[in-house]
Structures are given as C-alpha cells and as structure tokens.
Amino acid sequence: MAAAKTTTTAKSAEAKATATEFEFKGATFVIPAPLDLSDDVLDVIEDGGGERAIARAIVGQEQWATYKGLRCTIGEFNDFLDLVSEAAGFGDAGN
C-alpha cells in the first residue's frame, strides 16, 4: 500500500514540476509550473493588482516585452490572459 502511495506522490510531484508552453500570435510563451512561479505573483495578487499586472508577473519581463511587441487588442489580451491563467494553474481567467 505504501509503495502505491509513493508512486502516486512521485507522479503528482513530477506533474507539478512541468512548465507549460503555448503559442499566441506566432510567439511561444513558457510558463513555469505553478509552484515554480515567482512569489512576486503572490505579491501582485495580494496587492490587488489588475489582470495585466498579474499576467506580467506570471510571464516575466522578457516574455511580457514579447507580448507587448505583438501589439494586441483588448480582446486579444483577454485571450492571452486565459492562456496564461490556464498555463499557470489558475484555470480560465473568466473573460
């Protein structure tokens, strides 16, 4: 019984440690596994940061610059936010 639990725990830990990659408007974005995100994300959430601030904290400065270079519309930002939220383990952003 203990061996099965250890195996399940090992698989769960492995799944949590996987980064998620997605493409948006021809650019590739890589989001760390939820437990590997910077704790700056928590600060932004706790400080009541808006959706853009949270997305920026999740993707990091370099990838945010890539996103900004895509010159997106508000609607496209909502699509991007959904992808970022899902990749970060927060589910759909609800936009």
Side-chain angles (χ1 to χ4, degrees):
M1 183 94 166
K5 185 175 183 180
T6 302
T7 302
T8 302
T9 303
K11 287 181 182 179
S12 296
E14 184 178 318
K16 290 178 184 174
T18 303
T20 301
E21 182 177 298
F22 66 88
E23 289 203 15
F24 182 76
K25 291 187 69 171
T28 301
F29 294 86
V30 179
I31 307 300
L35 296 178
D36 292 336
L37 289 169
S38 168
D39 71 344
D40 291 341
V41 174
L42 296 175
D43 291 339
V44 172
I45 292 169
E46 288 176 358
D47 291 343
E51 294 172 334
R52 289 178 65 81
I54 294 169
R56 185 172 40 245
I58 291 171
V59 302
Q61 290 181 344
E62 185 176 318
Q63 292 188 111
W64 185 253
T66 299
Y67 167 78
K68 292 294 289 179
L70 298 175
R71 311 270 311 151
C72 295
T73 65
I74 292 171
E76 289 170 327
F77 170 73
N78 289 335
D79 294 340
F80 179 73
L81 181 61
D82 284 342
L83 292 169
V84 169
S85 295
E86 185 177 329
F90 298 131
D92 190 308
N95 292 322

